[in-house]
């Protein structure tokens, strides 16, 4: 079975398979946003790996994508890769066999991440997909996503916890990098994805199809920023995709975002997050509900590394490629 990497000029070949699997179209612009060159995106960008149906049509029947990311872990910078857009043509059979083409392409991609230097693999499969991957020996479960929901007014006297809250027309380089530096220092015991200005701009401002709101929460009685929230949604509901702030300031930023939501007649805020993020927000009055979305890691990692990553990834909805 030939396994090849698609060039940027070949990404449109994925469109029929994507439509067959996910029952919705995907544009070439979105494919390029995911799999375009890494060098211009502050470590983001990716690779598209396929197996083809036959040499004549070159139509992909299996696909595994990689979305690269700069990470911070163990007090140092490192590299990671999110496995995305795992697709098998509907007529593909025998996926659960060790000898299947699906098993081979997954093994190929995981081995690819070990050279020339190891990258930390992660992803957000459904519970069902993860069970299959675990059976094939190509994934292990290290966490899951929860949905946190806030409704109604923020707690009493919350105005003492934060200052002015305002929507920004665009991201500010100096402010984003200052907040990320504080966040990075406060999360030294966790594995967390880069949130520099360059990354945030790529992830949100340069998304080819979605638009996002940037809301700055200021410190009380000060002109200094406390934290930045990135939100999406329509009507009276908003999803908080990202919070860039010191870990200890997360609850206060949530209070600020709730006050902003109230002022703008929004009646519901929610956030998807992993276990360690949820534990940081227990005092905010959120309702937490477990979802069927899991966080996977590569079984090629050492037992020690997997133990350190267990329930220790600092991830929110903005770390996925589809929110």
């Amino acid at each position: 079975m030939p396994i090849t990497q698609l060039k940027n000029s070949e990404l449109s070949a994925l469109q029929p398979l994507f439509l067959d699997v996910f029952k919705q179209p995907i544009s070439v612009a979105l494919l390029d946003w995911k799999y375009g060159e890494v060098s211009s995106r502050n470590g983001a960008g990716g690779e598209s790996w396929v197996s083809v149906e036959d040499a004549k049509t070159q139509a992909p029947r299996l696909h595994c994508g990689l979305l690269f990311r700069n990470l911070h872990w163990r007090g140092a910078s490192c590299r990671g890769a999110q496995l995305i857009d795992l697709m098998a043509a509907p007529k593909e059979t025998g996926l659960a066999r060790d000898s299947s083409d699906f098993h081979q392409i997954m093994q190929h991609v995981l081995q690819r991440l070990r050279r020339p230097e190891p990258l930390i693999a992660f992803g957000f499969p459904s519970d069902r997909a993860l069970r299959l991957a675990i059976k094939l020996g190509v994934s292990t479960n290290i966490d899951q996503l929860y949905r946190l929901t806030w409704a109604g007014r923020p707690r009493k006297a919350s105005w003492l916890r934060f200052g002015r809250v305002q929507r920004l027309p665009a991201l500010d380089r100096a402010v984003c990098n200052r907040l990320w530096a504080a966040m990075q220092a406060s999360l030294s015991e966790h594995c967390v994805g880069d949130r520099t200005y360059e990354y945030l701009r790529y992830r949100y401002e340069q998304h080819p199809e979605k638009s996002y709101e940037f809301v700055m929460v200021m410190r009380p009685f000060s002109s200094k920023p406390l934290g930045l929230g990135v939100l999406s949604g329509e009507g009276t509901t908003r999803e908080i995709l990202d919070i860039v702030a010191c870990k200890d300031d997360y609850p206060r930023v949530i209070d600020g975002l709730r006050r902003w939501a109230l002022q703008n007649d929004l009646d519901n805020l929610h956030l998807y997050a992993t276990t360690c993020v949820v534990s940081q927000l227990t005092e905010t009055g959120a309702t937490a509900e477990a979802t069927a979305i899991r966080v996977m890691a590569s079984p090629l990692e050492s037992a020690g590394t997997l133990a350190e990553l267990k329930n220790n990834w600092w991830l929110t909805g903005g770390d996925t490629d589809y929110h």
Side-chain angles (χ1 to χ4, degrees), residues 191-210:
C191 189
V192 60
D194 165 43
R195 284 164 170 79
T196 59
Y197 165 79
E198 288 77 11
Y199 172 78
L200 294 172
R201 185 167 181 269
Y202 154 73
R203 173 61 179 87
Y204 299 113
E205 287 191 329
Q206 297 179 343
H207 195 287
E209 298 180 355
K210 295 185 178 182

Side-chain angles (χ1 to χ4, degrees), residues 65-124:
L66 294 173
L67 186 60
F68 296 113
R69 185 84 178 270
N70 289 336
L71 307 176
H72 189 76
W73 188 37
R74 296 168 172 167
S77 297
C78 58
R79 292 280 285 159
Q82 180 185 344
L83 276 67
I84 62 172
D85 294 340
L86 271 66
M87 298 182 284
K91 62 182 179 181
E92 196 72 24
T93 60
L95 296 180
R97 294 197 302 265
D98 287 348
S99 59
S100 70
D101 291 346
F102 177 74
H103 179 262
Q104 291 183 46
I105 195 171
M106 287 293 294
Q107 284 283 14
H108 176 89
V109 169
L110 293 177
Q111 290 290 348
R112 153 76 182 88
L113 297 180
R114 309 304 294 174
R115 305 183 300 268
E117 59 181 83
L119 276 70
I120 299 174
F122 67 104
F124 300 93

Side-chain angles (χ1 to χ4, degrees), residues 58-295:
Q58 293 294 303
R61 59 191 180 94
L62 291 167
H63 176 265
C64 181
L66 294 173
L67 186 60
F68 296 113
R69 185 84 178 270
N70 289 336
L71 307 176
H72 189 76
W73 188 37
R74 296 168 172 167
S77 297
C78 58
R79 292 280 285 159
Q82 180 185 344
L83 276 67
I84 62 172
D85 294 340
L86 271 66
M87 298 182 284
K91 62 182 179 181
E92 196 72 24
T93 60
L95 296 180
R97 294 197 302 265
D98 287 348
S99 59
S100 70
D101 291 346
F102 177 74
H103 179 262
Q104 291 183 46
I105 195 171
M106 287 293 294
Q107 284 283 14
H108 176 89
V109 169
L110 293 177
Q111 290 290 348
R112 153 76 182 88
L113 297 180
R114 309 304 294 174
R115 305 183 300 268
E117 59 181 83
L119 276 70
I120 299 174
F122 67 104
F124 300 93
S126 66
D127 179 63
R128 179 182 178 184
L130 183 60
R131 288 200 305 268
L132 170 61
I134 291 174
K135 181 178 179 180
L136 290 173
V138 293
S139 286
T140 186
N141 183 23
I142 56 170
D143 208 340
Q144 69 181 108
L145 287 184
Y146 295 84
R147 178 185 166 113
L148 299 179
T149 304
W150 293 269
R153 293 178 174 272
R155 49 194 162 175
K156 293 181 179 180
S158 62
W159 62 273
L160 294 172
R161 296 166 54 83
F162 60 88
R164 184 164 46 93
V165 184
Q166 63 183 20
R167 179 176 174 178
L168 303 179
L171 294 170
D172 181 276
R173 180 189 299 271
V175 171
C176 288
N177 287 340
R178 191 180 311 127
L179 289 172
W180 165 238
M183 180 177 177
Q184 177 179 300
S186 70
L187 292 174
S188 58
E189 75 274 24
H190 299 289
C191 189
V192 60
D194 165 43
R195 284 164 170 79
T196 59
Y197 165 79
E198 288 77 11
Y199 172 78
L200 294 172
R201 185 167 181 269
Y202 154 73
R203 173 61 179 87
Y204 299 113
E205 287 191 329
Q206 297 179 343
H207 195 287
E209 298 180 355
K210 295 185 178 182
S211 59
Y212 301 93
E213 296 173 294
F214 308 113
V215 180
M216 186 67 71
V217 181
M218 309 302 289
R219 294 188 177 278
F221 315 110
S222 171
S223 60
K224 296 182 179 180
L226 178 70
L228 172 70
V230 182
L231 299 90
S232 70
E234 298 178 347
T236 60
T237 297
R238 291 293 186 275
E239 177 183 354
I240 303 171
L241 290 163
D242 241 321
I243 297 175
V244 188
C246 175
K247 174 183 177 180
D248 291 341
D249 290 333
Y250 259 55
R252 292 200 289 166
V253 175
I254 289 292
D255 282 345
L257 294 176
R258 292 182 68 188
R259 176 60 58 87
W260 176 82
L262 184 66
Q263 293 171 345
N264 287 273
D265 298 321
L266 305 175
D267 57 21
N268 184 284
L269 287 178
H270 64 274
L271 166 74
Y272 291 95
T274 46
T275 300
C276 57
V277 182
V278 173
S279 65
Q280 189 66 20
L281 297 174
T282 54
E283 66 177 87
T284 63
T287 300
E289 179 183 2
T291 74
I293 302 301
R294 301 295 186 256
V295 179

Side-chain angles (χ1 to χ4, degrees), residues 18-44:
F18 195 95
L19 183 61
D20 281 346
V21 173
F22 296 116
K23 308 307 178 187
Q24 61 184 28
I26 187 169
S27 67
V28 173
L30 185 55
L31 288 169
D32 181 68
W33 179 82
K34 292 184 182 187
Y35 300 116
E37 294 295 332
V38 177
S39 58
S40 63
R41 303 182 181 188
N42 199 48

Side-chain angles (χ1 to χ4, degrees), residues 1-7 10-11 13-14 47-55 58-66 101 104-105 108-109 112:
M1 177 197 68
I3 298 174
T4 60
Q5 180 184 351
L6 292 181
K7 301 175 182 177
E10 300 171 329
L11 291 174
L14 291 176
E47 294 177 356
S48 173
W49 291 91
V50 299
S51 68
V52 297
E53 189 158 6
D54 59 59
Q58 293 294 303
R61 59 191 180 94
L62 291 167
H63 176 265
C64 181
L66 294 173
D101 291 346
Q104 291 183 46
I105 195 171
H108 176 89
V109 169
R112 153 76 182 88

